[in-house]
């Protein structure tokens, strides 16, 4: 996730966030915008109460296995996170929050409130108040930016799908208009040139594809979204060519690039025309070798675990799997 400007995030605090810390006999209440977090009075325990401090050594020794050990480890992890946030400068703090965005759940805020409850000086309490307000501001900035990104990615997907869904009452696949897929591909290439087919877009398409497959009553939609990912993979992989080696043409690489650029529906025909088991000049081993090389190059050039890497690798391996199936039939 791109770094978020500290100035942009923190300057919005005064106008969008109101932070109050009110002491009472039953505990403390933290108000962060519309969020209200109640510490000891809500949980009916205080992790750092006087009793806890007296028995801390005994509790540390007594915690063994099961849920108690898990809760203890979670508390230790939260304390380490809070200490790191307290010691960080503004830039480091922002980076820590962005990198650990999922860690800022209700348990985190309750632990932060408990830590504040045990402070003996107003200055220390004020430090925790300021830390909470700053972290919450950055978290809200991240959430807002993510929401905007999702909306933007949805608009891009709609534009790509428009040729096959516009004016159609019920989604079906393949589309009735034979030119619709070509129009989708042109839109995909244009959006890729504009840098709009990023991780946000790929995650949006992948999420909708998973949902369509789970619903099971939308096979047309699932096939359509699968086609979007295939077109993406073909568009990205076609940007690099390895068919020329000096003044020579590497036939296996050239054949692979022909497959990448071709619609999936034409692969079987191309295998029959291009492989030596059919009418071609490329051996099955040569094709398998260049596909493996392209997978290795893709792994090197893409971020590990990214949607981009996963989609490109799945596309190449799907092509290899289809080639193996066709070769088995030809040999059978």
């Amino acid at each position: 996730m791109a770094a978020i400007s500290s100035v942009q995030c923190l300057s919005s605090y005064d106008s969008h966030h109101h932070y109050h810390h009110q002491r009472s006999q039953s505990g403390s209440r933290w108000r962060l915008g519309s969020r209200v977090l109640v510490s000891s009075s809500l949980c009916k325990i205080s992790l750092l109460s006087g009793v806890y401090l007296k028995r801390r050594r005994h509790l540390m020794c007594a915690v063994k296995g099961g849920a108690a050990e898990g809760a203890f480890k979670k508390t230790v992890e939260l304390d380490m996170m809070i200490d790191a946030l307290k010691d960080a400068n503004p830039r480091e703090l922002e980076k820590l929050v962005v990198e650990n965005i999922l860690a800022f759940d209700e348990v985190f805020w309750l632990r932060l409130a408990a830590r504040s409850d045990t402070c003996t000086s107003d200055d220390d309490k004020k430090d925790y108040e300021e830390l909470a307000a700053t972290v919450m501001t950055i978290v809200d900035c991240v959430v807002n930016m993510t929401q905007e990104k999702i909306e933007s990615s949805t608009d891009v997907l709609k534009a790509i799908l428009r040729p096959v869904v516009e004016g159609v009452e019920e989604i079906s696949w393949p589309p009735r208009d034979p030119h619709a897929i070509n129009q989708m591909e042109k839109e995909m290439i244009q959006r890729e040139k504009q840098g709009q087919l990023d991780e946000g877009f790929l995650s949006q398409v992948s999420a909708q594809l998973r949902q369509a497959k789970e619903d099971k009553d939308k096979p047309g939609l699932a096939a359509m979204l699968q086609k979007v990912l295939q077109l993406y993979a073909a568009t990205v992989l076609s940007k690099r060519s390895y068919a020329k080696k000096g003044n020579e043409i590497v036939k296996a690489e050239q054949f692979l690039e022909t497959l990448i650029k071709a619609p999936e529906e034409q692969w079987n025909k191309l295998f029959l025309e291009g492989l030596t088991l059919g009418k071609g000049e490329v051996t099955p081993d040569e094709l398998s070798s260049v596909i493996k090389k392209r997978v290795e190059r893709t792994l090197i050039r893409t971020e590990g675990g990214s949607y981009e890497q996963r989609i490109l690798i799945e596309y190449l391996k799907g092509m290899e799997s289809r080639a193996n199936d066709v070769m088995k039939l030809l040999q059978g």
Side-chain angles (χ1 to χ4, degrees), residues 210-225:
R210 284 195 300 272
Q211 186 62 50
K213 287 181 177 179
E214 289 174 3
D215 291 345
K216 295 182 179 179
D217 60 344
K218 300 177 181 178
L221 177 59
M224 186 185 304
L225 294 170

Side-chain angles (χ1 to χ4, degrees), residues 242-307:
Y242 300 94
K244 282 189 176 182
K245 192 174 183 180
N247 294 325
E248 296 182 0
I249 298 294
V250 182
K251 290 183 179 180
E253 290 283 7
Q254 188 178 51
F255 181 51
L256 173 59
E257 290 172 13
T258 299
L259 289 167
I260 289 173
K261 294 176 182 178
E264 181 194 5
E265 296 78 14
Q266 297 180 14
W267 284 357
N268 290 359
K269 179 183 176 183
L270 290 172
F271 289 139
L272 292 173
E273 294 175 350
L275 294 174
T276 53
L277 291 175
K279 304 175 183 179
E281 301 178 349
V282 178
T283 68
D285 287 343
E286 287 174 335
L287 177 60
S288 178
S289 177
V290 294
I291 290 178
K292 284 181 171 60
K293 285 181 181 178
R294 187 60 68 97
V295 168
E296 291 172 359
R297 288 168 174 146
T298 301
L299 288 172
I300 292 172
R301 293 181 179 277
T302 55
E303 182 180 351
S306 64
Y307 280 98

Side-chain angles (χ1 to χ4, degrees), residues 10 36 69 90 145 164 186 192 212 220 222 264 279 284 303 315 319 327:
L10 301 184
V36 178
E69 183 177 1
M145 289 181 66
V164 296
K186 289 180 181 178
E192 196 280 331
E264 181 194 5
K279 304 175 183 179
E303 182 180 351
Y315 184 76
M319 183 183 295
M327 286 185 285

Side-chain angles (χ1 to χ4, degrees), residues 6-262:
S6 300
V7 175
Q8 178 185 1
C9 287
L10 301 184
S11 63
S12 64
Y13 166 69
D14 290 337
S15 58
H16 296 289
H17 299 276
H18 301 286
Y19 177 85
H20 304 285
H21 183 229
Q22 301 171 343
R23 294 291 296 171
S24 69
Q25 292 180 350
S26 59
S28 62
R29 172 168 295 188
W30 294 47
R31 185 177 299 277
L32 298 162
S34 60
R35 299 171 176 81
V36 178
L37 304 175
V38 182
S39 63
S40 11
S41 60
L42 175 66
C43 300
K44 296 184 180 179
I45 61 171
S46 176
L47 294 178
L48 290 176
S49 65
V51 174
Y52 172 78
L53 289 171
K54 292 177 183 179
R55 301 180 59 190
R56 183 176 182 181
R57 182 175 301 174
H58 299 291
L59 286 173
M60 290 178 67
C61 296
V63 172
K64 295 179 181 178
E69 183 177 1
F72 177 75
K73 288 181 178 179
K74 176 67 174 176
T75 300
V76 172
E77 291 172 359
L78 289 173
D79 283 339
M80 291 175 63
M81 169 68 75
I82 292 170
D83 290 339
L85 293 170
K86 284 180 60 183
D87 295 337
N89 61 41
R91 186 177 295 277
E92 293 170 342
L93 176 63
E94 179 183 299
K95 188 171 184 291
L96 277 172
V97 173
V98 172
E99 290 178 347
N100 298 278
I101 191 68
L102 297 180
F104 301 100
D105 54 10
E106 182 180 1
V107 178
F108 170 84
W109 295 111
L110 289 172
R111 182 58 184 164
L112 192 60
R115 289 273 295 259
S116 178
D117 281 348
T118 63
C119 292
T120 57
S121 71
D122 291 338
D123 287 341
D124 289 342
K125 290 182 183 295
K126 186 65 176 177
D127 288 343
Y128 277 109
E129 292 176 6
E130 292 176 353
L131 176 64
T134 301
V135 170
M136 181 60 73
T137 301
I138 299 174
V139 169
D140 281 351
C141 282
V142 173
V143 171
N144 291 335
M145 289 181 66
T146 301
Q147 183 61 36
E148 291 173 3
K149 193 63 181 175
I150 290 173
E151 293 172 358
S152 174
S153 298
T154 301
D155 291 340
V156 173
L157 180 58
K158 286 179 179 178
I160 293 171
L161 294 178
R162 186 173 292 116
V164 296
V165 300
E166 196 169 41
V168 176
E169 294 182 3
E170 185 175 348
I171 296 175
S172 62
W173 195 263
R176 294 182 179 86
D177 182 357
H179 303 294
I181 295 179
N182 290 335
Q183 294 173 351
M184 278 179 63
E185 186 174 8
K186 289 180 181 178
E187 186 70 27
M188 177 75 72
I189 292 172
Q190 184 61 33
R191 297 286 177 167
E192 196 280 331
K193 288 180 179 179
Q194 296 172 356
Q196 296 179 342
L197 307 186
D198 55 11
E199 282 293 289
F201 169 79
L202 296 177
S203 66
Q204 176 79 347
V205 178
S206 299
Q208 292 202 28
L209 177 58
R210 284 195 300 272
Q211 186 62 50
K213 287 181 177 179
E214 289 174 3
D215 291 345
K216 295 182 179 179
D217 60 344
K218 300 177 181 178
L221 177 59
M224 186 185 304
L225 294 170
Q226 187 67 54
K227 188 64 177 181
V228 170
L229 296 182
Q230 290 172 353
L231 288 174
Y232 166 80
T235 299
V236 173
L237 291 171
S238 297
K239 292 172 67 177
R240 292 182 179 275
S241 174
Y242 300 94
K244 282 189 176 182
K245 192 174 183 180
N247 294 325
E248 296 182 0
I249 298 294
V250 182
K251 290 183 179 180
E253 290 283 7
Q254 188 178 51
F255 181 51
L256 173 59
E257 290 172 13
T258 299
L259 289 167
I260 289 173
K261 294 176 182 178

